[in-house]
Amino acid sequence: MKYALIGCGRISPNHVAAAKNNNLEIVAFVDIEEKNAWDKIKKFDLQDTGIHIYTDFCEMLENEKPELVAIATESGKHAKIALKCLDYGCNLIIEKPIALSIVDADAIIEKSKKRNAIVCACHQNRFNKSIQVMHNAVDKERFGRLLYGTAHIRWTRDYEYYERANWRGTWEQDGGALMNQCIHNIDLLRWMMGDEIDTVFGMTDRLTHPYIEAEDFGVALIKFKNGSYGIVEGTVDVYPKNLEETLYIFGDKGTVKAGGQSVNTIEVWNFSDCLDDPGIVKKECSENPPNIYGYGHTKLYKNVIAAIHGDEKLLVNAEDGKRALLPCI
């Protein structure tokens, strides 16, 4: 399967590694700075593979005609690039967020249906062992009545982070802490609690980053249509480094906490049915990735490839990407 990556910045190594791990035929890297693309070729020892470098993604689409494209540019450019790729018949993996507006997300969804294309929103944390076992417990109704869930993202982003890329922290290209750093856990909260939302109340602020436009702190209270509640707390103001990303699910017959830097460990596992040993679940379903991005990209790519072949259901589709936006806008 011919594969191209558009955007060779901070998250791109995870995409390149996932493409290699799934034996995709990498035909092109695209970045407005050629050096970024060449850096990835060197990092992954791809000098002799015939990968072509482009600064214009439209030229790449015309020349290479890839079957699968990953979009990992600034968030504000996702929709424009995705729509053009769909015009060329490409299947897509779009880094979070899928777009910065509901209108753009709807446009991607509509065109993907017309083109019969697979579009995956890159919420790779759904593939964490901890999250998989938690969602399995939801599916089996082990929590009983779902009462509420809470998503906490307590990270830090300093001046150097924003200075390295001038689009970060802007409304036009980034969307703020909730849309950028916190959207993964918002996606997980919705996935666990039943997706459909009745009411959202929220507050945002810019507490310690006067040099950016968007928020660095946000809280939200959500009422889901199934009667349960959700609480979101997201910040990039934590001193002095990333503290945690945690997800709690509370039911009248079960309580679970996924924690660690990126919800990659089971820290609490209590159910009234006593079907399993909490100690064993904590040990077998916890991971220790080298960074906050975790190990999920390779598994996500595997699922996308299988979905393109018609062998599996896509676990994170474009509609899921849109749903993750709603508490953020």
Side-chain angles (χ1 to χ4, degrees):
M1 185 180 294
K2 294 174 67 175
Y3 165 88
L5 172 63
I6 302 176
C8 296
R10 180 183 176 106
I11 192 62
S12 63
N14 295 71
H15 286 273
V16 179
K20 288 190 64 179
N21 291 341
N22 283 282
N23 299 312
L24 291 173
E25 179 189 353
I26 305 175
V27 296
F29 290 157
V30 183
D31 199 282
I32 56 174
E33 297 287 343
E34 282 193 13
K35 180 182 181 300
N36 292 337
W38 283 113
D39 285 346
K40 303 309 171 294
I41 285 180
K42 293 175 183 176
K43 177 180 178 68
F44 289 92
D45 195 23
L46 300 170
Q47 292 91 332
D48 299 324
T49 58
I51 296 174
H52 297 136
I53 303 298
Y54 293 87
T55 57
D56 184 334
F57 76 92
C58 293
E59 181 183 357
M60 181 277 293
L61 293 171
E62 186 67 34
N63 291 344
E64 305 293 344
K65 297 179 174 54
E67 188 174 354
L68 175 61
V69 173
I71 300 171
T73 63
E74 303 93 320
S75 302
K77 295 179 179 177
H78 288 178
K80 176 182 176 180
I81 296 172
L83 293 171
K84 179 62 71 172
C85 289
L86 289 169
D87 284 338
Y88 277 82
C90 303
N91 300 288
L92 298 175
I93 296 172
I94 306 175
E95 257 300 333
K96 57 79 184 169
I98 190 171
L100 288 185
S101 73
I102 297 298
V103 171
D104 283 346
D106 281 337
I108 293 170
I109 292 168
E110 182 180 357
K111 182 163 284 191
S112 69
K113 291 178 179 178
K114 288 181 179 178
R115 299 290 182 177
N116 196 28
I118 294 292
V119 176
C120 171
C122 193
H123 290 292
Q124 77 276 0
N125 286 349
R126 286 197 184 194
F127 294 85
N128 290 359
K129 290 181 180 180
S130 54
I131 298 305
Q132 287 285 306
V133 72
M134 182 185 287
H135 194 263
N136 185 53
V138 172
D139 281 344
K140 292 182 177 180
E141 300 182 345
R142 294 185 64 190
F143 286 93
R145 178 190 170 196
L146 284 174
L147 303 177
Y148 69 102
T150 69
H152 308 275
I153 307 89
R154 295 160 175 160
W155 288 352
T156 186
R157 292 295 182 269
D158 57 15
Y159 177 81
E160 183 183 355
Y161 167 82
Y162 292 100
E163 182 69 12
R164 281 200 301 267
N166 59 14
W167 61 272
R168 292 174 180 161
T170 66
W171 289 121
E172 183 178 4
Q173 295 297 330
D174 191 11
L178 289 179
M179 188 71 82
N180 189 325
Q181 285 78 23
C182 304
I183 197 167
H184 281 303
N185 220 8
I186 292 170
D187 167 67
L188 297 179
L189 181 67
R190 292 202 64 173
W191 193 39
M192 298 292 175
M193 302 305 294
D195 275 332
E196 297 305 320
I197 287 176
D198 179 71
T199 308
V200 179
F201 171 79
M203 299 182 71
T204 63
D205 206 339
R206 188 172 59 248
L207 298 176
T208 68
H209 297 78
Y211 41 84
I212 67 172
E213 295 176 349
E215 85 281 352
D216 59 17
F217 169 83
V219 290
L221 177 63
I222 303 165
K223 183 175 183 180
F224 292 95
K225 287 187 177 180
N226 61 14
S228 64
Y229 290 86
I231 299 169
V232 175
E233 171 210 349
T235 182
V236 291
D237 295 324
V238 171
Y239 176 85
K241 60 182 180 179
N242 290 343
L243 179 61
E244 61 183 355
E245 180 180 6
T246 58
L247 180 69
Y248 291 83
I249 303 297
F250 298 96
D252 64 356
K253 295 182 179 180
T255 297
V256 172
K257 175 190 177 184
Q261 279 200 55
S262 53
V263 288
N264 46 271
T265 64
I266 293 292
E267 298 183 1
V268 175
W269 186 265
N270 295 320
F271 288 100
S272 64
D273 58 24
C274 301
L275 291 178
D276 40 31
D277 185 323
I280 294 176
V281 174
K282 292 175 186 179
K283 181 178 179 180
E284 293 183 349
C285 299
S286 295
E287 300 167 289
N288 186 28
N291 54 50
I292 60 173
Y293 302 126
Y295 298 121
H297 283 83
T298 291
K299 296 176 184 177
L300 181 143
Y301 269 62
K302 181 181 179 182
N303 175 243
V304 171
I305 294 165
I308 292 171
H309 290 313
D311 297 330
E312 291 183 13
K313 180 182 178 181
L314 189 65
L315 186 58
V316 200
N317 60 33
E319 286 85 356
D320 294 321
K322 173 188 172 181
R323 279 191 284 267
L325 300 178
L326 287 174
C328 304
I329 295 176

